[in-house]
Amino acid sequence: MSSYYLTTPIYYVNDHPHIGHIYTTLVADTIARYRRLCGDEVYFLTGTDEHGQKIERAAAERGIPPIELADEVVSRYHSLWAELGISHDDFIRTTEERHTRGVEAIVARIAATGDFYVSRHEGWYCAACENYYTEKELLPGHRCPDHEIETELRSEENVFFRLSKYQDRLLEWYDSEPCPVAPPSRANEVRQFVAQGLRDLSVSRATVEWAIPFPAHEGHTIYVWLDALSNYITALGYDGDEVGDLYRSLWQGDGVRLHLVGKDILRFHAVYWPAFLMSAGLPLPTTVWAHGWWLRDAQKISKTVGNIVRPDDLMKSFGTDSLRYFVLREMVFGQDASFSDEAFIDRYNSDLANDLGNTTSRLVTLSRRAFGDCLPPRRGAGGALATAAATAIAEYRRTMDEFAFSRALEALWRLLSQTNQYLVAHEPWKKLKDPAASGEVAEVLWNAMEAVRVVANGLLPFLPEKAPQVLAALGVEPGGELSALEWGGLPTGAELPAVTPIFPRIDKKAYLADAGDAPPVGKPAKKPKRQKKEAAEKPEMIQIDQFFETQLRVAEVKAAEAVPKSKKLIKLTVDVGEDSERTVVAGIAGQYEPEALVGRQVVIVANLQPAKLMGVESNGMVLAAEADGAPILLRPEKPVPNGTRVK
């Protein structure tokens, strides 16, 4: 067992968290859960950065002390991390005494090397990122290149750190194998920045009071980044000569020391932080990995820009695991990705509600019907599906080790697709009532359910709440090790619970209509404009394989009756060419009399998840066109065998 120390950036407490804040933490949690399954001794740290002018100003605007603002925002982080199921081992606050002692110890070690000196500093200062910029680094109008807000020209006497002294050592570090900065595109950026020449760094402030006092320099406080970056070792008990067991095992040992950061703060973590550690004579991180930004309207999501996405509404509408899945599936780790409500809903309905949720419900329903509410009584040989699972597992493990989370999820969803193709090819539902085919049905269902079990175990790091629910639906417990991914773990004959929706489908039009009632962030509400009919009726495009996932079949109405207490619903008993008839509820009572429907052929969606309408379970949906608000049933031009597939 090896140690695996994993950190997120610590987050500013000048405002409540949004999706841009939580992404890194979700990634870190996924890695932590996966590495625990691998058997590593994981220690996962996150926290808050509570010093600096940004917090000082935000608190002043509200007329409260900075620590009061910090306490308020930190409580929100704790609540949000609990809602998201974040499995961190520690939460560091830079206002804690343990942190202050550690920072002072690091400053003392650097001072002992002679790497501090006092000089006057003049430059363009961005309060949002607490950093100075040169003229050539700024955008037009002396705007910050990251936050695109105006900077301030400042001149003051500061303590400087001899950053230029560590240029060659940093370049040697970047050239070591494996490269300590990732992905390669970010490593090249950092290497080029350092190779162009480093200027010494101002590490004190004379105008910021909400900070740690700089030892031996009265009137100065410690630069917030020298303060904040130290959290990665102060949280482990680093306190100068007196260090704790965590520091010795996680920072001085041979295990992994991984920092996850956004690309906008890579320079601080891959240039300043290792230079501080080199000066202090302390070990360096093994990897600094920088990911991209979440964009909205082609801009980084941030409070400064004003296009934030709050996670609260998303979790309320879709559940916490749906948010986790979307951000990890949608963003290629290391690159930028775009957020939109529409993309979120599409991903939810397609991947979670349909592919994972419906496949699980379908299999459990079939097994309960065939084997008395139990799992199949015999195992399948696996065959091609077992081979597909082995391929998916290998791809999943390789891509997880590479932090290619979207590709790992693609591998699992490919197996889900192959499972559905396997079911379509064998059509076990047609043989449920045939005693002679019982063994074949058992093997087919066992193979398909085993494939879903493999997928669900692979999803445990991603969906800590829902993946166990999928496994529970299959009658099994979550695996605590990666060996649970191997083929063959599904038992036989065990009792299955009743089917309940794991990912209820979201009504996209209704959700977007509700979301449209609120004006965009930072913009006043506008009166809705009348849209052209053509634009309103523009169809949503789907892939051909999505169409083929819907099974349209011809069915004959054998019986029909009005649903009590309903003016719209008719209960239909239909023959779909299966061993037993189905009940389908249709909202057509205003247009059709029940007795007139008997003997008529209709078209139904045959693989729709069962739903209860006015207390009657409907196992399908009758298709109808709509003319002037009235339903017009679809039927074949001439009689065809019941169960005929509509293509």
Side-chain angles (χ1 to χ4, degrees), residues 304-374:
T304 306
V305 175
N307 61 348
I308 59 176
V309 178
R310 298 289 187 195
D312 311 66
D313 295 336
L314 295 173
M315 292 189 296
K316 181 179 179 181
S317 298
F318 300 97
T320 57
D321 276 9
S322 304
L323 175 63
R324 291 176 65 108
Y325 178 80
F326 177 80
V327 298
L328 290 159
R329 178 65 180 81
E330 201 74 8
M331 178 182 275
V332 175
F333 194 53
Q335 300 179 16
D336 293 343
S338 295
F339 178 90
S340 75
D341 293 335
E342 189 168 358
F344 195 115
I345 297 169
D346 287 344
R347 181 69 72 183
Y348 174 96
N349 281 338
S350 173
D351 292 12
L352 297 178
N354 186 40
D355 294 342
L356 181 59
N358 283 355
T359 299
T360 303
S361 298
R362 181 186 188 189
L363 286 168
V364 172
T365 298
L366 286 170
S367 187
R368 282 171 58 86
R369 286 172 58 190
F371 306 113
D373 296 341
C374 291

Side-chain angles (χ1 to χ4, degrees), residues 6-7 19 30 50 61 145 173 203-204 237 246 251 338 349 413 439-440 497 511 520 525 544 546 583 634 638:
L6 176 64
T7 71
I19 196 170
T30 302
E50 303 179 19
E61 288 175 2
W173 186 53
V203 291
S204 79
L246 275 178
W251 200 259
S338 295
N349 281 338
W413 254 254
E440 178 188 350
Y511 181 84
I544 187 66
Q546 290 177 276
T583 296
L634 303 185
K638 60 182 180 180

Side-chain angles (χ1 to χ4, degrees), residues 456-496:
N457 273 289
L459 288 173
L460 287 172
F462 296 92
L463 310 179
E465 177 185 354
K466 293 295 187 178
Q469 290 182 22
V470 174
L471 290 167
L474 298 172
V476 294
E477 295 290 331
E481 299 177 354
L482 276 185
S483 58
L485 289 170
E486 302 303 322
W487 186 268
L490 186 73
T492 57
E495 186 175 352
L496 286 172

Side-chain angles (χ1 to χ4, degrees), residues 362-363 366 369-370 418-434 437-438 440-445 448 548 551-553 576-579 582 606-607 642-647:
R362 181 186 188 189
L363 286 168
L366 286 170
R369 286 172 58 190
Q418 291 165 326
T419 302
N420 278 302
Q421 293 169 15
Y422 172 84
L423 288 170
V424 170
H426 289 82
E427 298 184 314
W429 47 86
K430 288 187 174 181
K431 307 165 187 175
L432 294 183
K433 300 301 182 181
D434 183 0
S438 177
E440 178 188 350
V441 170
E443 291 187 15
V444 168
L445 291 181
F548 283 125
Q551 291 189 21
L552 304 179
R553 295 188 182 275
V576 198
E578 300 171 337
D579 293 330
R582 292 194 190 195
N607 62 336
N642 294 333
T644 298
R645 184 81 179 263
V646 178
K647 299 181 179 180

